[in-house]
Amino acid sequence: GFCIMTVELVASRMVAGYIGASLYTWTAVIGVIFTGMTVGNVIGGRLSDRCRPVALLSALFGCSALACFLIQPTLSLAGSMTAGLIAPGAPWTTRTLVVVFLPFFLPGAALGAISPAVARWALAQGYPKGKTVGCVYSANVVGSILGTFITGFYLVDALGTPSIVMLATYGLLLAALLFLAASRRAGSAAQGGNTDEADAQPESAHVKLDSLVTPCLLVFFSGFCIMLIELCASRMAVAQIGHSIYTWTSVLGVILAGLSVGNVIGGKLADRHEPRILVGGLYLFASFFCMLILQTHYLVNEATADWFGLPIPWAMRVLLVVLGAFFLPAMALGTLTPAVVKWSLDAGRASGRTLGTVYAWNSLGSILGTFATGFFLISVFYVTRLIAMTSLLMAIIAMLFLFGANNRKLR
């Protein structure tokens, strides 16, 4: 999680020299990295059902290190392509996507394969499914939070983007070597134990695909909503406190912090309540707090107009404005995914494949939410109307689940 957000933040600065800094640049960076993560989620989930977890993680961290090492030379190649190989009349969005896709898709895919593999490894320990998934999601998001704030507020100024990329490369390589050493120490006994488990998994893999259709659509929509709220938050924050690295870092950090808290809450609730009723309640909860954004961001702006005369640093002022308006909506949205994942795992499919599939659909929703919001929805519906429409859709989904579950009980 730390490395993903580090790569995402430095990506926007690295490509700015080729395509400038704009909403299209940020949208392309977020969308390409999420696309890579989607592919990585599927690959990591499938591999985790077939390979020893520690050895697999060593390989995945090693591939991630190699992908990060190749960012700079690939970016130079992409810049040359857009300058000479793409037709001069090509749309600017095409050039933007090419420059971002070539250097940053593979790092996104390699890093995206790690999360489902870790979650599969954690589930094998026998802890409650909802709590386990929620904690793994939350740990991943906490890493993303640290990556966002440390990179945005310190590393960019202290080291510069090339050094940051190399630092991430060395960190991933070190993790790969540590897991490799642990895998070798585990020896043949661990391999034999996992072989038995792997032999048992194919039987559960024959559950029909339709058992995952509804959960996948739910996490797809939650991923879409998260990115829509994130991009709308950036527009609303810029209107109040201006455009800077502090604004983007604060938006990303606050959204991720809310998601982390929500992941833990959603995971714990999923072990205690019937999934369909819980999902309905959580969607209603998220709908309420997203609608509340339309009021809270004005109230926060007025409350912090003079900061009560306190000498608060500008970076902290930016953070407090974003925190007051967008933490609770992000927390509410963060409760959804662990609850839906627990529902999916209860269907009895192979846990690695299930985790990878659900992770991938969540990332796919985030991709569509990023591109649709950044390139189309904001310009057509504007921010406030877009947030209201999204809140209404979540409320409708909540009602369908809550009333549907009650009707089944009455019968």
Side-chain angles (χ1 to χ4, degrees):
F2 186 101
C3 290
I4 287 173
M5 293 312 302
T6 298
V7 169
E8 184 173 319
L9 283 173
V10 300
S12 62
R13 296 178 69 91
M14 295 177 75
V15 301
Y18 298 94
I19 53 177
S22 67
L23 179 62
Y24 292 138
T25 305
W26 269 104
T27 301
V29 167
I30 296 171
V32 165
I33 289 179
F34 269 116
T35 302
M37 289 173 60
T38 300
V39 176
N41 291 160
V42 175
I43 295 173
R46 291 179 179 272
L47 289 175
S48 66
D49 283 325
R50 303 174 183 178
C51 305
R52 292 167 48 210
V54 178
L56 175 61
L57 287 171
S58 174
L60 293 178
F61 275 109
C63 290
S64 299
L66 177 61
C68 289
F69 178 77
L70 293 174
I71 286 176
Q72 188 61 56
T74 311
L75 178 59
S76 299
L77 175 63
S80 301
M81 289 179 60
T82 58
L85 299 182
I86 293 182
W92 186 252
T93 52
T94 302
R95 299 186 181 193
T96 301
L97 287 173
V98 170
V99 170
V100 176
F101 182 86
L102 290 179
F104 295 105
F105 174 79
L106 283 180
L111 290 167
I114 294 173
S115 293
V118 171
R120 170 70 175 80
W121 182 23
L123 286 170
Q125 311 304 313
Y127 296 109
K129 295 176 182 178
K131 182 178 179 180
T132 300
V133 171
C135 288
V136 171
Y137 263 87
S138 181
N140 183 49
V141 175
V142 168
S144 300
I145 296 168
L146 292 176
T148 298
F149 283 113
I150 292 175
T151 302
F153 286 165
Y154 175 70
L155 293 180
V156 169
D157 292 331
L159 299 179
T161 52
S163 298
I164 294 173
V165 172
M166 293 310 299
L167 182 64
T169 301
Y170 293 142
L172 290 166
L173 183 59
L174 177 61
L177 293 175
L178 290 174
F179 274 103
L180 180 61
S183 176
R184 289 184 175 179
R185 281 199 304 268
S188 59
Q191 185 174 6
N194 277 315
T195 301
D196 295 337
E197 184 181 347
D199 291 340
Q201 287 290 355
E203 295 180 5
S204 61
H206 292 294
V207 176
K208 291 182 179 179
L209 182 62
D210 59 6
S211 63
L212 273 183
V213 170
T214 301
C216 285
L217 291 177
L218 288 172
V219 294
F220 175 89
F221 185 65
S222 71
F224 185 100
C225 292
I226 288 168
M227 294 312 302
L228 183 147
I229 295 298
E230 182 175 316
L231 289 172
C232 288
S234 67
R235 291 293 290 265
M236 297 171 80
V238 165
Q240 294 177 2
I241 51 182
H243 185 284
S244 69
I245 186 67
Y246 296 133
T247 306
W248 274 104
T249 301
S250 296
V251 168
L252 291 173
V254 166
I255 296 293
L256 290 171
L259 291 175
S260 177
V261 175
N263 289 160
V264 175
I265 295 173
K268 290 185 176 181
L269 290 174
D271 287 323
R272 302 175 184 176
H273 302 281
E274 201 278 324
R276 290 170 177 80
I277 297 178
L278 176 62
V279 167
L282 294 179
Y283 259 103
L284 189 61
F285 183 61
S287 172
F288 170 77
F289 278 106
C290 287
M291 185 66 76
L292 208 60
I293 292 175
L294 301 179
Q295 296 299 322
T296 54
H297 84 283
Y298 289 118
L299 296 176
V300 170
N301 190 38
E302 292 178 4
T304 56
D306 59 359
W307 300 96
F308 309 104
L310 298 175
I312 301 176
W314 179 252
M316 185 58 64
R317 295 184 183 195
V318 174
L319 177 60
L320 290 175
V321 168
V322 177
L323 183 69
F326 300 105
F327 177 80
L328 288 178
M331 182 190 71
L333 289 167
T335 62
L336 295 168
T337 303
V340 177
V341 170
K342 169 64 164 55
W343 178 8
S344 305
L345 291 171
D346 287 344
R349 300 185 79 220
S351 55
R353 176 183 290 186
T354 300
L355 288 166
T357 301
V358 175
Y359 266 88
W361 276 90
N362 183 250
S363 297
L364 194 62
S366 299
I367 295 165
L368 185 60
T370 299
F371 285 115
T373 304
F375 287 165
F376 176 71
L377 294 177
I378 287 179
S379 60
V380 173
F381 296 106
Y382 304 106
V383 170
T384 54
R385 190 181 302 171
L386 193 55
I387 291 175
M389 291 169 58
T390 304
S391 301
L392 179 60
L393 282 175
M394 286 192 285
I396 292 172
I397 292 174
M399 293 299 105
L400 290 174
F401 274 88
L402 291 174
F403 287 118
N406 289 335
N407 288 338
R408 282 191 295 270
K409 284 186 176 181
L410 290 175
R411 294 193 195 102

